[in-house]
């Protein structure tokens, strides 16, 4: 009697294994998206903060130069994070095809 149900049990076990693989990758991808979102928000906050430090009368002297460098660095960070997220999306789509 057990032999009649063994293919069904094997199918159920394999489906559970695939489900666990899906959930672990789901949490990993969700965590990565959340982490990159937080970093983008922090970089945008730094851009806003550095804009407040700018002296528009003398934009390339004193603290304004430091603010410009901070703004440029924050913009670079945002771009790098967006490129990273796009590459992860492409990697997911490539893995789904195979």
């Amino acid at each position: 009697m057990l032999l009649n149900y063994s293919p069904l049990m094997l199918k159920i076990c394999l489906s559970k294994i695939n489900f666990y693989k899906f959930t672990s990758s789901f949490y990993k991808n969700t965590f990565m998206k959340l982490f990159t979102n937080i970093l983008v928000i922090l970089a945008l906050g730094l851009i806003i903060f550095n804009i407040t430090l700018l002296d528009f009368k003398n934009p390339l002297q004193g603290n304004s130069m430091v603010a410009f460098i901070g703004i440029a660095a924050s913009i670079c960070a945002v771009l790098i994070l967006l490129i990273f997220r796009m590459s992860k999306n492409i990697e997911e789509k490539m893995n789904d095809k195979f």
Side-chain angles (χ1 to χ4, degrees):
M1 181 143 177
L2 183 62
L3 294 175
N4 293 337
Y5 293 110
S6 62
L8 178 63
M9 294 299 282
L10 181 63
K11 193 178 214 180
I12 291 171
C13 290
L14 288 176
S15 67
K16 286 184 179 181
I17 291 171
N18 289 334
F19 175 74
Y20 290 128
K21 284 183 183 178
F22 169 74
T23 54
S24 67
S25 67
F26 175 74
Y27 289 129
K28 183 178 170 185
N29 293 337
T30 304
F31 175 73
M32 186 63 69
K33 289 178 184 177
L34 178 67
F35 184 66
T36 56
N37 283 339
I38 290 170
L39 289 178
V40 167
I41 290 170
L42 286 174
L44 292 175
L46 282 173
I47 290 171
I48 293 169
F49 175 73
N50 283 322
I51 287 173
T52 63
L53 294 178
L54 286 176
D55 181 19
F56 293 104
K57 292 180 182 174
N58 298 318
L60 297 177
Q61 295 177 355
N63 286 338
S64 291
M65 187 59 136
V66 175
F68 271 124
I69 293 170
I71 291 169
S74 297
I75 289 172
C76 289
V78 169
L79 290 175
I80 288 171
L81 287 167
L82 292 176
I83 291 169
F84 176 71
R85 186 183 298 166
M86 289 175 67
S87 71
K88 285 295 180 183
N89 287 340
I90 292 170
E91 181 182 355
E92 279 182 20
K93 288 179 183 179
M94 293 298 289
N95 287 339
D96 288 342
K97 285 183 179 180
F98 296 111

